[in-house]
Amino acid sequence: MKTEDYTKNDGKPGIRYFLEKGDVIKAMVATPREASLGKSKYPSYSIKAIWSSKEIYVTLTCGQYKRLIGIGSLEGKKLVAVGYQGLAGKELIGLDVLE
């Protein structure tokens, strides 16, 4: 899991979590959330999950968000980050459900 320190709107420090290939998380909610942050015109996507025995909000890309919405209810399901080749040859991270 890749992490990034940032300052929240209330001035407190926070940590953003980004998926890396091979990460396994357990979804705690049925669907990921979409939110507008501050004055940005672009939405932010995240899902509440358990990773390494810790409750966190994992930041999602638009593609990851759309994939999870298409799966249906996610609550209690384990999700794994998988790598695949994008159009420009760059490795992208997607999500699959572990059965």
Side-chain angles (χ1 to χ4, degrees):
M1 187 78 62
K2 184 174 141 187
T3 61
E4 176 183 283
D5 294 326
Y6 75 105
T7 303
K8 297 179 182 180
N9 290 341
D10 61 6
K12 295 180 183 177
I15 300 174
R16 284 190 183 107
Y17 295 89
F18 299 92
L19 293 168
E20 292 184 308
K21 186 177 174 180
D23 287 339
V24 177
I25 60 173
K26 183 177 180 182
M28 297 185 63
V29 293
T31 58
R33 69 180 183 168
E34 177 180 4
S36 295
L37 300 178
K39 297 176 183 175
S40 175
K41 63 180 179 179
Y42 301 104
S44 171
Y45 308 101
S46 64
I47 187 165
K48 186 175 183 181
I50 295 176
W51 173 71
S52 293
S53 303
K54 206 161 75 169
E55 282 187 27
I56 61 171
Y57 282 93
V58 178
T59 301
L60 303 172
T61 64
C62 182
Q64 291 167 341
Y65 171 79
K66 288 179 180 179
R67 166 85 170 113
L68 294 179
I69 289 294
I71 292 173
S73 180
L74 299 168
E75 191 167 3
K77 292 185 180 177
K78 288 189 178 184
L79 307 170
V80 63
V82 295
Y84 65 94
Q85 288 298 117
L87 296 176
K90 181 180 175 183
E91 184 177 47
L92 303 174
I93 302 297
L95 285 163
D96 278 335
V97 176
L98 283 177
E99 296 300 325

